[in-house]
Amino acid sequence: MSELPLTRNVRPDRSPTDLAAYEANGGYQGLRRAMAGMSPADCLEVVKDSNLRGRGGAGFPTGMKWSFVPMENVSPGHKYLICNADEMEPGTFKDRMLLECDPHQLIEGMILAAYTIGADVAYIFIRAEYLKAARLLREAIAEAKIRNYLGHDILGSGYSLAMHVHASAGRYICGEETALISSLEGKRANPRAKPPFPQVSGLWGRPTIVNNVETLCNIPHIIERGPEWFASLGRGDDAGTKLFGVSGRVNNPGCWEMPMGTTIREILEDKAGGMVAGYGLKGFLPGGGSTDFLVEEHLDLPMEYETIGKAGSRMGTGTMIVLDDKTCPVGFVKNLIEFFAQESCGFCTPCRDGLPWNAQVLDDIEEGRGTPEDLDTLEQHISYIGAIGNTHCALAPGAMEPLQSALKYFREDFQRHIDGGACPYREAH
Amino acid sequence: MPVIKVDGKDYEVAEGGNLLESCLGLGLDLPYFCWHPAMGSIGACRQCAVVQYQNEEDTRGRIVMACMTPVTDGAIFDLSGERASGFRQTVVESLMVDHPHDCPVCAEGGECHLQDMTVMTGHRDRHYRGTKKTYRNQYLGPLIHHEMNRCITCYRCTRFYRDYAGGTDLAALAAHDHVYFGRHREGTLESPFAGNLVEVCPTGVFTDKSLVHDYTRKWDLQSAPSVCTSCGVGCNTLPGERYGRLKRIHNRYNPAVNGYFLCDRGRFGGTHVNAESRIDFPAQRDSEGRFQALTDEACARALRDRLQGKRLAGIGSPRAGAEANLLLQRLVGAENYASGMADDEHALMQRALAHLVNSTAHNPSLREIESADAVLLLGEDLTHTAARTALALRQAVRNEAHRLAEELRLAPWQDAAIRNLAQDRRSPLHVVCAGSTDLDDIAAGHYRLVAADQARLASDIAAIIRGEARSDGAAARIAADLLAAERPLVLSGPGAGSAALLDGAAAIAEALVAAGKAAMLSFTAAECNSMGQALLCRDSHIALAALASTDAEVLIILENDLLRRLPMASVEALRARIPTWIGIDCLENDTLARCDLVLPAAAFTETEATYINQEGRAQRAFPTHPPAEARRPAWRWLLDLARAAGDRTLSGIGHFDDIGVTLAGEDPLLQGIASAAPDHSFRSRGLKIPRQPHRYSGRTAMRADVSVHEPRQTDDADSALAFSMEGSATTDRPGALLSYVWSPGWNSNQSLHKFQSEIGGALRGEGSGLRLLDSLAVAAATPAPLPEAFSRREQEWLLQARHHLFGSDELSRLGSGIEALTGRAAIYLHPEDASRLGLEAGDGAVIAGAALEVRLDPSQVPGSAGFSTGYPETLALRSGEWVNIDVASDWQRQPELIGSDRGAAS
């Protein structure tokens, strides 16, 4: 079995790893290595070469993102690193494991990332409900300060970094990096138009990098072990390992670290134990609530950014939601759209007023009040709301992904609702 | 200049703009909501979507928001194709999901941008079947009506209120499709610019409360280009009238002055013209002291009896137009003519004028004030003395943000991005004033000093800039900020009542010019024609105090309440000394009550007049409607007076323009005033310019209760405008004659862009107003002695005037809704001083016979006392006087109202 660096400190009982245990298991070696002789440019080169891609959902190459931060001729003032720990994507619970089981791994990764981009202040923007994780992080930060991994003149390198934990006030949209920044500034959590990108004008108008928890947790290992080692962890084109999760009517729902390129079937059958007896697989969202449905024919695809993209969906957070054959796909999609409509920040028209409209149409269909024209309305909204650029940020296009693919794969179910004037799945229960 | 392709046609467009403003500038109709020409782009409403193609080969293209898309050479756009227009229709349909179909009862109907845009997109059928959301509306004070159900969530209101105007009590609340624009709790909107929400909101969420209660649709309003008479800034306005009543005042765009926005004193104060206390008929005091109305004939006779062969003196007015003042000056002779300002204010205005004319620093327009990259504000709580200028300073401090944006190559219209980038980094503004001011929130430094110390500080700053002195205190910090700037502005005014302060301001500006800066120097003026009166009296003038020692037999008082200018005893002495007083004014006041003969003047909405603002800009106001009853423009009364007095020089004057023709001669000032606007012979396409829109309705019916015969329309021989819906209302008519803005498909004020040569730029027709000071010579002012530094006294307090936007101005305080906001006249004390006096907040204190409410203010300099200036109760108080303060014995404390009570009261 190949190496699984991210979860090597995760214990079966999920108890947290403290500083001593973290260090005993090789922790802070990456940081020591960097502080002892690597320049920020060296670190950037290593991360670039590692081909690490963002684990928050979009899969943007991390090294490239960092390289946009101005390092010279930058006007005096702070630069910021923000860890996006606002894990609120429906069906997603992977960062929670990293936060609760191994907080120092994240902190080490953040110190290295901050060092690379020249940030002197770092924030962990954490989901409000992750109370335990927030407490553990605060404790871990205090521990790290005592050992001079954080604070002034880290390990005698001359580099200093302050780190703070900020609990979100609780909006899904804060997971969008610019909305997160607005929220952190104390403003409405509205996303910002890009350009300018946060790398040049982010928190308080200063250069800022926002990275996902899992992304940052990879950094200490990459710095310590090098890009070739990291690339070798993946099975296919994508480097490293990934936390994959499964929820739904499977025998063993959960979250596991596996190599990039592991097939969906392996995740669903080997780890999640297959479908619960009496339930068949109808489809699944491969990367959280805002990704397109895939179906049985896709089971042997490897979980890789490009492959999943070509199949018509996105790898997203890598945490699957399984739709079984006894659950109404219309109700399933309606539930998701209602969530996203509720979580719209209310800034742009298609998202704010379009998503609730779709939820209303889906409610009509689900409750047997649907008309044939309703399918046209849904189709029209898919092109209206569903394209990036039509809306201010990616929330609404993401929200429409399950709907558009449900209409593609399960259109017959929608039609049966309309023709029969009732939800056909209700009788089955 | 870049060339872009829109719908297959090439267009040359201005560099650096966005596609939306470029399209609008080209005359292409592209619907929008959240973008505003003065506030830039944020990309919220998604209404201005177009399809952009990468190149000629690209057949798919992608939807982009025009307001967020820079125009670059060779860019290809599809504006009217199915995909773009289909998207825009769906956007409107989404907005309509919750919008009530209440246009027939909505005050915005007929000038609603949402109506216009809905029609423009071609959207017709609604498919949404769900219920509509409803909201609870809030009581937002006596000026603004709130109707949240109509909201389309474009964010313009909070962007204006918070981002542009610095307000804090209106916000976007809640989220998703429940976003609510209101206050945390009910209550009067605090911003003095809240009224602009009426024009900024693209639909009927925020409407003009007095208009709602006395309603007329825009198409039924008669309007004419006017000038605000509520302070010295001279904002351009469009009053709207029907049935002889002023219904509302809208902004009239003037790129050099007020741009797109007014203050609430100007917007709501004008309805004083509807007051019950208007004078309708000429009247003469009978033997029992009562006024008896006079017929025209009797009036003419009475004038002849009183004037013929008599020695005349006259008191002009800084709130009357230049022409009426000029006629009075000529009638009584310059040596017998007082400007009508209080003597100390007159001297300050003469000094300000001398500095403006003689300084090598530039005397800026309001637009130029916005370009300042460092500002020193001396002695003025500007938000209360010249509110629109304060709003300009709020833009000036953003120049640092624009500088930072330039480094990142962000275009100036990228509003949200620039605000996020700059955060609270601002160009420096230093405020020196006797107490806290409403600009302190954006000030780099504020210094609370009484007037004498303000002048001393100004003198120190000038000396440091000249290199003659050193210090490491406030003066040095201010000097350093001014010297670090390229276009520093020094702004002061008569508000502090200090001649040395004006000298100090001028000296600083002069020193900055000597240091190689493109420095600007500006002074406020208290009233709409204060600067005009300073100019008219620059060579000859009699002080009000000196009138009592003339041998005049008749005193003619033009639009002036002398009790606001002179102590009561002096007024009584003057009354006893001059046997005949003739008063011309529009509203009852204590001066008219002392007159023998009262002549009813047309209000500012009923007369043609030129007002000269603080910058020395002559601007013409035209009557919105003819005066009712026996009211007549003051200048006409003065011609009658001249005739009655047998004055021959004025007898050739028939209509308004003759005043200039007859009297200007070689005087550059009078020539300038005469040419402030096109004269009565101007024609557009051979026609006069209508005051009524072409949809003006009910012309034959609105007087049917009186007579079924349609009256002949009143001729306007005095101007190129007509009291009619007929004529030429082209979009290139001169700015001075812009009687209303309308364009096919654009019924709201957003049609303005059709009248502009570029978005936010000059009007297509010639500009409005004429700067006078650039070509005049005025003797330099003799330097005033630097006052002693302030030291407090044991039992006496030094009075310092506090100006209130709502209350300190004589007429606007009577405007509908404003009466409720003026509050009681107050005395402001430092809390420690108050406790020494045994006074608490809300108690009454007696100062020089006036009982005033005590307010505690830690920013009040200990030993000094601020007082609400311009209130009827405080007319006897003068800034700079030492007074005793006593506890008022039978004082009734103001009951504390809560929001819901106010709501019920309204």
Coordinates of all heavy atoms in Angstrom, one line a residue, chain B residues 605-631:
Chain B
T605 N -39.0 80.2 -7.1 CA -39.5 79.4 -8.2 C -40.4 80.1 -9.1 O -41.0 79.6 -10.0 CB -40.3 78.2 -7.6 OG1 -41.2 78.7 -6.6 CG2 -39.4 77.2 -6.9
E606 N -40.6 81.4 -8.8 CA -41.5 82.2 -9.6 C -40.9 83.4 -10.3 O -41.6 84.2 -10.9 CB -42.6 82.7 -8.7 CG -43.4 81.6 -8.0 CD -44.1 82.0 -6.7 OE1 -44.0 83.2 -6.3 OE2 -44.7 81.2 -6.0
T607 N -39.6 83.5 -10.2 CA -38.9 84.7 -10.8 C -37.6 84.3 -11.5 O -37.0 83.4 -11.1 CB -38.6 85.8 -9.7 OG1 -38.0 86.9 -10.3 CG2 -37.7 85.2 -8.6
E608 N -37.3 85.1 -12.4 CA -36.0 85.0 -13.1 C -35.0 85.8 -12.2 O -35.3 86.9 -11.7 CB -36.0 85.5 -14.5 CG -34.8 85.2 -15.3 CD -34.9 85.5 -16.8 OE1 -36.1 85.7 -17.2 OE2 -33.9 85.4 -17.5
A609 N -33.8 85.2 -12.0 CA -32.8 85.9 -11.2 C -31.5 85.2 -11.5 O -31.4 84.1 -11.8 CB -33.1 85.8 -9.7
T610 N -30.4 86.0 -11.3 CA -29.1 85.5 -11.4 C -28.5 85.5 -10.0 O -28.6 86.5 -9.2 CB -28.2 86.3 -12.3 OG1 -28.8 86.5 -13.5 CG2 -26.8 85.7 -12.5
Y611 N -27.9 84.3 -9.6 CA -27.3 84.2 -8.3 C -25.8 83.9 -8.5 O -25.4 83.2 -9.4 CB -27.9 83.0 -7.5 CG -29.4 83.2 -7.3 CD1 -30.3 82.4 -8.0 CD2 -29.9 84.1 -6.3 CE1 -31.7 82.5 -7.9 CE2 -31.3 84.2 -6.2 CZ -32.2 83.4 -6.9 OH -33.5 83.5 -6.8
I612 N -25.0 84.5 -7.6 CA -23.6 84.3 -7.8 C -23.1 83.5 -6.6 O -23.2 83.9 -5.4 CB -22.9 85.7 -7.9 CG1 -23.4 86.4 -9.2 CG2 -21.4 85.5 -8.0 CD1 -23.2 87.9 -9.2
N613 N -22.5 82.3 -6.9 CA -22.2 81.4 -5.8 C -20.8 81.7 -5.2 O -20.2 82.7 -5.6 CB -22.3 80.0 -6.3 CG -21.1 79.5 -7.1 OD1 -20.3 80.3 -7.5 ND2 -21.0 78.2 -7.4
Q614 N -20.4 80.9 -4.3 CA -19.2 81.2 -3.5 C -18.0 81.3 -4.4 O -17.0 81.9 -4.1 CB -19.1 80.2 -2.4 CG -18.2 79.0 -2.6 CD -18.7 78.0 -3.6 OE1 -19.9 77.9 -3.8 NE2 -17.9 77.3 -4.2
E615 N -18.1 80.6 -5.5 CA -16.9 80.5 -6.4 C -16.9 81.8 -7.3 O -16.0 82.0 -8.1 CB -17.1 79.2 -7.3 CG -16.2 79.0 -8.4 CD -16.8 78.0 -9.4 OE1 -17.9 77.4 -9.1 OE2 -16.2 77.7 -10.4
G616 N -18.0 82.6 -7.3 CA -18.1 83.7 -8.2 C -18.7 83.3 -9.5 O -18.6 83.9 -10.5
R617 N -19.5 82.2 -9.5 CA -20.2 81.7 -10.7 C -21.6 82.3 -10.8 O -22.4 82.1 -9.9 CB -20.2 80.2 -10.7 CG -20.8 79.5 -11.9 CD -20.9 78.0 -11.8 NE -19.5 77.4 -11.7 CZ -18.9 76.9 -12.7 NH1 -19.4 76.9 -13.9 NH2 -17.7 76.4 -12.5
A618 N -21.8 83.0 -11.8 CA -23.1 83.6 -12.0 C -24.0 82.5 -12.7 O -23.7 82.0 -13.7 CB -23.1 84.8 -12.9
Q619 N -25.2 82.3 -12.1 CA -26.1 81.2 -12.6 C -27.5 81.8 -12.6 O -27.9 82.3 -11.6 CB -26.0 80.0 -11.7 CG -24.6 79.4 -11.6 CD -24.5 78.1 -10.9 OE1 -24.4 77.0 -11.6 NE2 -24.7 78.1 -9.6
R620 N -28.1 81.5 -13.7 CA -29.5 82.1 -13.9 C -30.5 81.0 -13.5 O -30.4 79.9 -13.8 CB -29.7 82.4 -15.4 CG -31.0 83.1 -15.7 CD -31.1 84.5 -15.3 NE -30.0 85.3 -15.7 CZ -29.7 85.8 -16.9 NH1 -30.6 85.6 -17.9 NH2 -28.6 86.6 -17.1
A621 N -31.5 81.5 -12.7 CA -32.7 80.7 -12.4 C -33.8 81.3 -13.1 O -34.0 82.5 -13.2 CB -32.9 80.7 -10.9
F622 N -34.7 80.4 -13.6 CA -35.9 80.8 -14.3 C -37.1 80.5 -13.6 O -37.1 79.4 -12.8 CB -35.9 80.2 -15.7 CG -34.8 80.7 -16.6 CD1 -33.6 80.0 -16.7 CD2 -35.0 81.9 -17.4 CE1 -32.6 80.5 -17.6 CE2 -34.0 82.3 -18.2 CZ -32.8 81.6 -18.3
P623 N -38.2 81.2 -13.7 CA -39.4 80.9 -13.0 C -39.9 79.5 -13.5 O -40.0 79.3 -14.7 CB -40.3 82.0 -13.3 CG -39.8 82.7 -14.5 CD -38.3 82.5 -14.5
T624 N -40.3 78.7 -12.5 CA -40.9 77.4 -12.9 C -42.3 77.6 -13.3 O -42.8 77.0 -14.2 CB -40.9 76.5 -11.6 OG1 -39.5 76.4 -11.2 CG2 -41.4 75.1 -11.9
H625 N -43.0 78.6 -12.7 CA -44.3 78.9 -13.0 C -44.6 80.4 -12.7 O -43.8 81.0 -12.0 CB -45.3 78.0 -12.2 CG -45.2 78.2 -10.7 ND1 -46.1 78.8 -10.0 CD2 -44.2 77.8 -9.9 CE1 -45.7 78.8 -8.7 NE2 -44.6 78.2 -8.6
P626 N -45.6 81.0 -13.3 CA -45.9 82.4 -13.1 C -46.3 82.6 -11.6 O -47.0 81.7 -11.1 CB -47.0 82.8 -14.0 CG -47.2 81.6 -15.0 CD -46.6 80.4 -14.3
P627 N -46.0 83.7 -11.0 CA -46.5 83.9 -9.6 C -48.0 84.1 -9.6 O -48.6 84.6 -10.5 CB -45.7 85.2 -9.2 CG -45.3 85.8 -10.4 CD -45.1 84.7 -11.5
A628 N -48.6 83.5 -8.5 CA -50.0 83.6 -8.4 C -50.4 85.0 -7.7 O -49.6 85.7 -7.2 CB -50.5 82.5 -7.5
E629 N -51.7 85.2 -7.7 CA -52.3 86.4 -7.1 C -51.5 87.7 -7.5 O -51.2 87.8 -8.7 CB -52.2 86.3 -5.5 CG -52.8 85.0 -5.0 CD -54.3 84.9 -5.3 OE1 -54.9 85.8 -5.8 OE2 -54.9 83.8 -4.9
A630 N -51.2 88.6 -6.6 CA -50.6 89.8 -7.0 C -49.1 89.7 -6.7 O -48.4 90.8 -6.7 CB -51.2 91.0 -6.2
R631 N -48.6 88.5 -6.5 CA -47.1 88.4 -6.3 C -46.4 88.8 -7.6 O -46.8 88.4 -8.7 CB -46.7 87.0 -6.0 CG -47.4 86.4 -4.7 CD -47.1 84.9 -4.7 NE -47.9 84.3 -3.6 CZ -48.1 83.0 -3.6 NH1 -47.6 82.2 -4.5 NH2 -48.9 82.5 -2.7

